Amino acid sequence: MSEAPHIPVLLDEVEAALLPLEGQVVVDATFGAGGYTRRLLDAGATVHAFDRDPDAIAAVHANPERWPELSSVPPRLVLHPRRFSEMVDALHDAGIETVDGIVADIGVSSMQLDQAERGFAFASDGPLDMRMSQDGYSAADFVNEGEESAIADVLYLYGEERQSRRVARAIVAARPITTTGELARVIRKALGHRPGAPKDPATRSFQAIRIHVNGELDELEAALAAAEALLREGGRLAVVTFHSLEDRIVKRFLKEASGRARSPSRHLPLVD
């Protein structure tokens, strides 16, 4: 992981929303480089931090001077190298039934994007990977082994790519594809990319494949349910979303959890 300082988005706003106090227990569901956690610790809270990326956890142990709370007695920083959807079980194992606050910054981190070898982005050519946990099913597996129709569905659902069938057809025709640069070139060619255009047309497909490989939207829904189960009465939840797919899931959850979702009949679906 890069040693350059990483400032998470909306840091002040998240702190204001959570209002962390000394002695409280707060969950940082997406530890990353620890920006939220550092602010929460400085406010006196005890933090249980989750990250499924082993690099994020390893970076803490490699720089113990930055995280003295990890070795304090009792520790005020507890690391959980797990998916945030597993936070209920993880905290129960630690003897914690409820928490005062939870923060989650959804999606890929800038540190992951900046490392070409992780294969999340096409700015620098690298292996077609995209796995946050660095194990299991990869982007290369999906691109090279997936059915054309399945690839098209993923690009449409998670990337909102209107020409998903054309892109999927081009991907299948170009297989095997092993690097991010190769995949980006195939997508650009399929969509008739014009150099200098304000947005690279490969962006939507890369987002879609990454979301699919990591099961990000299912993880988000599970994490929100876990947060509802863990937060004590009066507890606070702050979720930072990056795009509309995440945003809709969080807004729907908040409506339903707060009882504000409209449903004129229990036999009819909820209306957003």
Side-chain angles (χ1 to χ4, degrees), residues 143 148 151 166-177 186:
V143 164
E148 182 178 318
I151 294 173
R166 175 184 294 181
V167 175
R169 189 161 53 248
I171 287 173
V172 170
R175 296 197 296 207
I177 301 171
V186 169

Side-chain angles (χ1 to χ4, degrees), residues 77-230:
L77 172 59
V78 181
L79 298 174
H80 298 273
R82 301 175 66 166
R83 297 169 180 262
F84 55 37
S85 60
E86 301 171 347
M87 69 175 85
V88 171
D89 289 342
L91 291 176
H92 284 182
D93 290 345
I96 296 173
E97 299 298 321
T98 61
V99 300
D100 298 285
I102 298 173
V103 57
D105 184 0
I106 307 304
V108 69
S109 73
S110 62
M111 295 82 66
Q112 291 164 332
L113 288 171
D114 291 343
Q115 297 178 79
E117 65 273 17
R118 298 295 302 274
F120 283 99
F122 47 80
S124 298
D125 199 14
L128 195 54
D129 194 323
M130 301 192 191
R131 297 172 297 178
M132 291 180 177
S133 61
Q134 300 189 38
D135 63 6
Y137 186 65
S138 71
D141 293 330
F142 174 65
V143 164
N144 290 305
E145 300 172 10
E147 296 289 336
E148 182 178 318
S149 59
I151 294 173
D153 287 346
V154 164
L155 300 185
Y156 182 78
L157 289 172
Y158 300 147
E160 300 178 297
E161 174 54 72
R162 295 181 179 180
Q163 300 187 67
S164 61
R165 295 187 186 280
R166 175 184 294 181
V167 175
R169 189 161 53 248
I171 287 173
V172 170
R175 296 197 296 207
I177 301 171
T178 60
T179 72
T180 56
E182 290 175 19
L183 179 59
R185 287 191 291 273
V186 169
I187 296 169
R188 291 172 187 140
K189 184 177 180 180
L191 296 176
H193 175 51
R194 298 185 305 276
K199 185 175 182 179
D200 194 308
T203 302
R204 294 186 295 272
S205 294
F206 267 68
Q207 171 186 291
I209 295 169
R210 188 202 82 222
I211 289 173
H212 171 68
V213 165
N214 294 289
E216 291 180 35
L217 300 188
D218 290 339
E219 278 288 303
L220 174 56
E221 291 183 346
L224 292 171
E228 186 175 17
L230 283 170

